[in-house]
């Protein structure tokens, strides 16, 4: 292809913009970005105006080779020559900026572009880029700038901005954008509402989360299991366990089946209270629905029986999880150690501690805190060995242990 191109030029025939674009693509496949860039100078000398497709082709070549400086220079040249970027143009330059995480250069470029032309597609690509890089304030400023410049953000850009605001714990602003979209006649997906409800919950604004949940339940879209999981976990954490249980019971009637996460949210609350009866009933319902317990289920159950002063039952649960192929975690062992300490099961606790280490777990501060109390309660135990382990783990200062 390149040989043919050179023959065309030597013959005196004028290559057109389509020929140059094809040659640029060929050079890109060959990994020769430098020669592809040089084609633009050659086109200018020959009086051949590159079009958007030509620029995009060379931008793709530059992006593949991670040549950020060349990419920005070409992007600016494109605008200076009156060729407006499209989504492909923006994606190429965004790809480069994302790889380098050059937020300063991103902002400089957006400001420079704004002085030339700011098309909707350019705004949208750079808003997503800034959000991906974790610069919410800059993304927000650009989003608001669209409105100032008289450019209405499209639906996907608004959804992206809502998602960014939720990740940054700004649910009020996210909800305001959602309301604007609703008032404009747009339907928002349930996952967007779920994100806002979760952001309210994560900010410990449980009432606001529940109010939005009820509003969506009444007006739509249809709630899904994630919606229920978010609000049930939030209400349970807020101490509104009765309301959380009512919503859990409501799920069957609404045709939205609970999953293991739903059950775990309630089990976690029952575990904190040491509520054996409620835990057993919930586990029975879980079994009836043929939902397999996971590590969180087992940890909550073990914690519950331990707090209720039933370490032997907790050990049975521990044995069951091993038989079911569910590997224990730090939480599992620490909960069991707590239950054994409470029941003064010194030998069983020490045996479990040895087992924990054999399984490759490195004891943490909680593990050593419980063991330290066990040693203090038993005069027959020599605490010097435990203190040595704590010091070797680098936790002596944190735990303030001494002989």
């Amino acid at each position: 292809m390149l040989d043919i191109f050179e023959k065309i030029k030597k013959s005196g025939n004028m290559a057109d913009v389509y020929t140059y674009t094809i040659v640029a693509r060929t050079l890109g496949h060959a990994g020769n970005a430098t020669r592809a860039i040089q084609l633009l100078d050659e086109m200018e000398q020959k009086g051949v105006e590159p079009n958007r497709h030509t620029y995009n082709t060379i931008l793709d070549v530059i992006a593949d080779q991670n040549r950020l400086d060349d990419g920005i220079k070409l992007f600016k040249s494109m605008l200076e020559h009156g060729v407006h970027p499209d989504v492909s143009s923006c994606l190429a330059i965004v790809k480069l900026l994302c790889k380098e995480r050059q937020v300063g250069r991103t902002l400089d470029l957006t400001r420079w572009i704004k002085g030339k032309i700011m098309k909707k597609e350019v705004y949208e690509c750079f808003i997503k880029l800034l959000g991906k890089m974790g610069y919410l304030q800059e993304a927000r400023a650009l989003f608001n700038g669209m409105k100032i410049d008289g450019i209405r953000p499209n639906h996907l850009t608004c959804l992206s901005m809502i998602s960014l605001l939720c990740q940054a714990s700004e649910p009020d602003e996210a909800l305001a954008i959602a309301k604007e979209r609703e008032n404009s006649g747009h339907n928002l997906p349930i996952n967007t509402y779920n994100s806002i409800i979760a952001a309210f919950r994560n900010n410990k604004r449980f009432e606001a989360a529940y109010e939005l949940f009820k509003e969506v339940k009444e007006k739509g879209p249809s709630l899904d299991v994630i919606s229920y999981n978010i609000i049930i976990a939030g209400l349970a954490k807020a101490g509104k366990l009765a309301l959380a249980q009512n919503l859990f019971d409501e799920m069957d009637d609404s045709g939205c089946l609970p999953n293991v996460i739903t059950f775990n949210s309630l089990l976690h609350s029952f575990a904190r209270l040491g509520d054996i009866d409620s835990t057993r009933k919930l586990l029975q319902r879980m079994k009836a629905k043929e939902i397999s317990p996971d590590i969180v289920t087992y940890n909550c159950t073990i914690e519950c029986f331990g707090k209720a002063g039933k370490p032997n039952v907790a050990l049975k649960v521990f044995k069951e999880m091993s038989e079911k192929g569910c590997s224990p975690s730090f939480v599992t062992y620490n909960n069991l150690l707590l239950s054994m300490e409470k029941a003064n099961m010194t030998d069983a606790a020490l045996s479990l501690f040895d087992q924990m280490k054999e399984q490759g777990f490195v004891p943490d501060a909680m593990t050593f805190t419980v063991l330290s109390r066990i040693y203090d309660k038993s005069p027959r135990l020599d605490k010097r060995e435990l203190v040595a382990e704590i010091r070797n783990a680098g936790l002596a200062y944190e735990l303030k242990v001494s002989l």
Side-chain angles (χ1 to χ4, degrees):
M1 176 65 199
L2 296 176
D3 291 339
I4 296 171
F5 179 63
E6 292 300 326
K7 286 178 181 178
I8 291 173
K9 291 194 295 181
K10 286 178 181 179
S11 69
N13 292 318
M14 177 71 77
D16 61 13
V17 65
Y18 302 105
T19 306
Y20 276 104
T21 303
I22 292 168
V23 171
R25 187 184 300 113
T26 304
L27 289 166
H29 290 320
N32 194 345
T34 301
R35 180 70 183 99
I37 294 168
Q38 289 171 352
L39 284 180
L40 289 172
D41 294 330
E42 188 176 307
M43 290 176 76
E44 186 174 350
Q45 293 170 7
K46 299 288 185 181
V48 181
E49 289 288 335
N51 59 22
R52 184 187 294 132
H53 189 47
T54 313
Y55 280 108
N56 285 351
T57 300
I58 300 175
L59 275 171
D60 285 336
V61 174
I62 291 170
D64 288 338
Q65 302 224 343
N66 301 326
R67 296 173 63 157
L68 179 59
D69 290 334
D70 289 327
I72 292 175
K73 182 179 177 181
L74 185 59
F75 195 78
K76 289 183 175 182
S77 175
M78 184 178 184
L79 281 165
E80 286 170 343
H81 283 82
V83 181
H84 295 169
D86 62 4
V87 174
S88 296
S89 320
C90 293
L91 286 177
I93 199 70
V94 162
K95 180 180 177 182
L96 278 166
L97 290 163
C98 267
K99 284 181 180 177
E100 301 297 327
R101 290 191 64 80
Q102 294 280 343
V103 68
R105 301 188 75 175
T106 301
L107 294 173
D108 288 343
L109 186 58
T110 53
R111 282 191 286 266
W112 184 89
I113 294 169
K114 190 173 180 180
K116 304 292 180 181
I117 181 172
M118 207 59 174
K119 292 186 70 178
K120 182 183 290 189
E121 292 86 354
V122 181
Y123 267 114
E124 290 161 356
C125 281
F126 279 94
I127 287 169
K128 289 178 183 177
L129 167 63
L130 289 165
K132 186 174 181 180
M133 293 168 72
Y135 292 90
L136 172 67
Q137 299 304 326
E138 292 80 4
R140 176 193 277 149
L142 207 53
F143 181 79
N144 292 332
M146 292 184 77
K147 300 175 184 177
I148 295 170
D149 290 345
I151 301 174
R152 178 175 293 181
N154 72 13
H155 195 51
L156 289 177
T157 305
C158 290
L159 294 182
S160 295
M161 197 65 221
I162 290 171
S163 177
L164 291 173
L165 288 164
C166 289
Q167 291 170 34
S169 299
E170 298 281 359
D172 292 296
E173 194 171 343
L175 183 57
I177 296 174
K179 293 294 184 184
E180 282 182 15
R181 301 311 290 169
E182 286 178 1
N183 295 335
S184 299
H186 291 86
N187 295 321
L188 275 66
I190 188 59
N191 63 295
T192 297
Y193 287 107
N194 287 344
S195 295
I196 302 172
I197 294 169
F200 277 123
R201 181 200 67 182
N202 295 340
N203 281 4
K204 297 184 179 180
R205 294 175 60 187
F206 303 112
E207 290 294 337
Y210 184 52
E211 287 304 314
L212 182 55
F213 175 86
K214 289 193 295 182
E215 182 181 325
V216 175
K217 180 181 173 183
E218 180 182 342
K219 297 180 180 178
S222 298
L223 297 167
D224 61 12
V225 66
I226 297 173
S227 315
Y228 278 98
N229 286 348
I230 292 168
I231 200 65
I232 287 172
L235 291 171
K237 189 174 182 179
K240 300 181 182 296
L241 196 49
L243 181 54
Q245 285 181 271
N246 289 338
L247 288 176
F248 177 79
D249 294 334
E250 176 188 291
M251 291 182 74
D252 284 336
D253 297 332
S254 67
C256 184
L257 297 178
N259 59 19
V260 67
I261 297 172
T262 325
F263 280 93
N264 287 344
S265 295
L266 289 174
L267 284 170
H268 182 68
S269 294
F270 295 149
R272 285 184 300 173
L273 298 171
D275 188 342
I276 292 177
D277 291 338
S278 295
T279 294
R280 281 178 168 152
K281 288 176 182 177
L282 200 59
L283 289 172
Q284 288 170 358
R285 289 180 67 173
M286 193 173 181
K287 186 176 181 181
K289 291 183 178 294
E290 298 182 345
I291 296 175
S292 300
D294 62 8
I295 182 64
V296 177
T297 313
Y298 284 116
N299 285 344
C300 289
T301 307
I302 287 170
E303 181 184 357
C304 182
F305 284 116
K307 283 190 174 178
K310 295 188 176 295
N312 290 325
V313 180
L315 280 169
K316 287 181 181 178
V317 176
F318 177 69
K319 182 180 178 182
E320 178 191 319
M321 69 181 289
S322 300
E323 292 171 348
K324 294 287 179 67
C326 185
S327 300
S329 65
F330 261 119
V331 177
T332 317
Y333 281 108
N334 285 343
N335 282 342
L336 278 171
L337 285 170
L338 279 166
S339 68
M340 290 172 180
E341 180 219 345
K342 186 175 181 178
N344 294 318
M345 297 172 63
T346 303
D347 292 336
L350 296 176
S351 176
L352 184 70
F353 180 57
D354 289 337
Q355 181 183 336
M356 180 182 182
K357 291 187 289 185
E358 288 170 6
Q359 293 296 317
F361 288 95
V362 178
D364 63 2
M366 173 61 77
T367 314
F368 282 125
T369 298
V370 177
L371 282 168
S372 184
R373 292 200 297 260
I374 290 172
Y375 270 77
D376 288 341
K377 290 178 182 178
S378 180
R380 66 184 175 84
L381 296 177
D382 186 346
K383 196 177 179 181
R384 284 176 295 184
E385 288 185 8
L386 179 65
V387 171
E389 281 197 63
I390 293 172
R391 285 174 177 161
N392 289 336
L395 295 170
Y397 179 78
E398 181 180 345
L399 300 179
K400 296 180 174 57
V401 295
S402 60
L403 286 173

